[in-house]
């Protein structure tokens, strides 16, 4: 066994020990994100090693094996990245109890030129959407019963170029209210009340946005969340997480 393999095994054993000590149900892995196809291959090997050690510990202690999950990109492949790569679906399905698809942060502070529905269920102009991402996993052979849809409890804000042009995708010139243009749902509600903001449900993306002057915030509320959860149920997903 190489020194890297030994150190990795030691880390896994330590994580399992901590999970057992504190009565956790399992362990969630979070690699954001493998940057090349070689790293995707390594990701598959990594979760295979984790599964082997989890099963080995369960056999040795006569206890049910810890659950093993991982946070992943919203879509099965990085189709619009400079470096195309895709997840090893077979190994992910074989070795993980489920994946937590990160269906949010499609837009944010890295692009202040336009507003965006950062967790859009649909996008009529591109494939950057929750519906496309989750369906891509299933189309690639990943079982829906192992797929968890991520939902954000925060919004992202921009400063509008023209307060009269305030739809999703409207021209912007910078970040809006909140630290780095991020606001929790309670902060959005407070903003709406204090500024008497105009609140709009965008049926094209299944998202909400609030606008007051040049301040624009895209987020989800009860209405849009309900539609997303119904979508998850119709798709046969295992569930959703915040």
């Amino acid at each position: 066994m190489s020194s890297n393999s030994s150190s990795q095994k030691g880390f896994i054993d330590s994580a399992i020990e901590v999970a057992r000590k504190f009565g956790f149900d399992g362990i969630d892995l979070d690699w954001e994100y493998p940057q090349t196809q070689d790293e995707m291959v390594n990701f598959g090997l990594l979760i295979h090693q984790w599964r082997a050690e989890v099963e080995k510990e369960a056999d040795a202690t006569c206890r049910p094996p810890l659950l093993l999950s991982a946070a992943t990109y919203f879509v099965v492949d990085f189709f619009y990245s400079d470096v195309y790569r895709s997840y090893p679906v077979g190994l992910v399905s074989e070795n993980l109890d489920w994946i937590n698809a990160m269906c949010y942060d499609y837009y944010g502070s890295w692009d202040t030129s336009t507003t965006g529905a950062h967790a859009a269920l649909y996008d009529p102009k591109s494939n950057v959407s929750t519906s496309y991402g989750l369906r891509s996993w299933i189309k690639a052979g990943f079982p829906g019963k192992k797929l968890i849809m991520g939902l954000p409890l925060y919004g992202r804000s921009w400063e509008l170029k023209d307060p009269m042009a305030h739809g999703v995708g409207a021209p912007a010139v910078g970040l809006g209210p909140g630290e780095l243009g991020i606001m929790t749902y309670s902060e959005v509600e407070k903003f709406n009340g204090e500024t008497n903001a105009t609140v709009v449900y965008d049926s094209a993306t299944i998202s909400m946005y609030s606008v007051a002057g040049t301040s624009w915030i895209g987020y989800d509320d009860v209405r849009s969340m309900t539609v997303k959860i119904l979508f998850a149920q119709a798709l046969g997903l295992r569930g959703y997480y915040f």
Side-chain angles (χ1 to χ4, degrees):
M1 180 181 290
S2 68
S3 59
N4 284 342
S5 296
S6 289
S7 60
Q8 178 64 30
K9 182 181 184 305
F11 177 79
I12 295 173
D13 289 343
S14 296
I16 292 173
E17 182 180 350
V18 169
R20 291 299 194 192
K21 178 180 178 181
F22 291 100
F24 297 160
D25 290 328
I27 298 169
D28 184 62
L29 308 176
D30 191 3
W31 184 347
E32 299 180 36
Y33 299 99
Q35 293 298 302
T36 65
Q37 193 56 42
D38 284 344
E39 288 192 358
M40 282 295 189
V41 171
N42 289 336
F43 176 77
L45 297 175
L46 178 68
I47 59 176
H48 179 73
Q49 185 178 3
W50 273 87
R51 173 56 63 189
E53 295 302 322
V54 163
E55 296 291 344
K56 180 180 177 181
E57 185 272 345
D59 289 342
T61 60
C62 297
R63 303 172 72 174
L66 290 166
L67 295 169
L68 194 59
S69 63
T72 68
Y73 202 40
F74 78 100
V75 69
V76 75
D77 61 341
F78 288 68
F79 62 89
Y80 70 99
S81 172
D82 292 337
V83 179
Y84 176 85
R85 65 268 194 205
S86 60
Y87 282 96
V89 172
L91 286 171
V92 174
S93 177
E94 178 184 349
N95 293 291
L96 297 179
D97 292 292
W98 65 74
I99 61 170
N100 297 310
M102 302 173 70
C103 301
Y104 41 80
D105 291 345
Y106 305 148
Y107 304 93
S109 58
W110 49 93
D111 184 357
T112 58
S113 64
T114 59
T115 65
H118 83 100
L121 181 58
Y122 305 108
D123 187 336
K125 298 179 181 179
S126 78
N127 290 331
V128 183
S129 69
T130 295
S131 60
Y132 179 85
L134 296 177
R135 284 175 172 145
S136 77
W137 278 99
I138 294 172
K139 185 177 180 181
F142 194 78
K145 65 182 179 180
K146 286 191 170 188
L147 191 52
I148 312 291
M149 177 179 66
L151 298 169
L153 295 180
Y154 60 92
R156 287 187 174 273
S157 69
W158 286 264
E159 181 184 351
L160 292 170
K161 181 178 182 180
D162 177 1
M164 299 303 293
H166 57 69
V168 174
V173 294
L175 297 179
E179 185 175 358
L180 297 178
I182 298 174
M183 301 178 72
T184 64
Y185 181 65
S186 61
E187 289 173 334
V188 175
E189 285 194 310
K190 182 179 180 182
F191 171 89
N192 291 346
E194 291 180 346
T195 64
N196 194 28
T198 298
V199 178
V200 179
Y201 174 72
D202 186 71
S203 59
T205 59
I206 311 298
S207 68
M208 305 297 300
Y209 71 84
S210 298
V211 59
T214 58
S215 295
W216 191 100
I217 312 163
Y219 59 100
D220 279 305
D221 72 351
V222 174
R223 182 178 180 181
S224 60
M225 286 283 192
T226 299
V227 177
K228 289 181 176 183
I229 291 169
L230 290 172
F231 173 84
Q233 292 173 336
L235 205 58
L237 304 189
R238 180 161 184 161
Y240 54 92
Y241 74 95
F242 296 111

